[in-house]
Amino acid sequence: MTEQLWFLVTNCPSAQVAKQIGRALIEEGLVKSANVTAMMATQYLWEGRLVENAECQLIVKPLADRREAVAARIEALHPFEVPAIVGWPVAYATEGYLAYNREP
């Protein structure tokens, strides 16, 4: 269903990076809006060692038919070697919000 919205989320090393990626996605017409969360503590295993630092999340909501293009663009713009880009379908959205996301 091309009308279905998706949540796509990626962690970024700073709010500035998240805003730059979000702005590019909006300006390129891939999404209508982007959300940047507050910084949070992050722990992950990278190249065999535990890394602890701070990251924020970039959240975007593309229509299903733009999901792959949005993920590819995030990956191209992201400074991490392997950015975590995960997503899931939105279970419910109002018709008004869906219409907003369909606008050119």
Side-chain angles (χ1 to χ4, degrees):
M1 169 194 299
T2 60
E3 297 296 310
Q4 185 177 26
L5 283 174
W6 276 70
F7 279 111
L8 289 184
V9 178
T10 189
N11 287 3
C12 295
S14 69
Q16 179 183 356
V17 167
K19 288 177 184 179
Q20 288 172 341
I21 295 171
R23 186 178 307 110
L25 296 172
I26 293 167
E27 289 174 349
E28 294 170 16
L30 293 169
V31 299
K32 288 292 189 169
S33 64
N35 304 105
V36 177
T37 67
M39 296 300 284
M40 61 186 161
T42 302
Q43 300 173 316
Y44 57 93
L45 214 57
W46 182 251
E47 296 178 341
R49 66 180 181 81
L50 178 64
V51 177
E52 297 182 275
N53 59 22
E55 297 176 333
C56 65
Q57 288 187 326
L58 170 64
I59 305 164
V60 293
K61 298 165 290 293
L63 290 170
D65 61 353
R66 297 181 193 155
R67 178 187 66 213
E68 295 296 327
V70 171
R73 193 66 179 121
I74 291 170
E75 195 166 28
L77 295 168
H78 208 291
F80 289 171
E81 185 177 335
V82 182
I85 303 168
V86 298
W88 56 94
V90 172
Y92 173 79
T94 63
E95 182 52 41
Y97 190 67
L98 284 172
Y100 165 73
N101 280 280
R102 281 187 223 113
E103 294 172 359

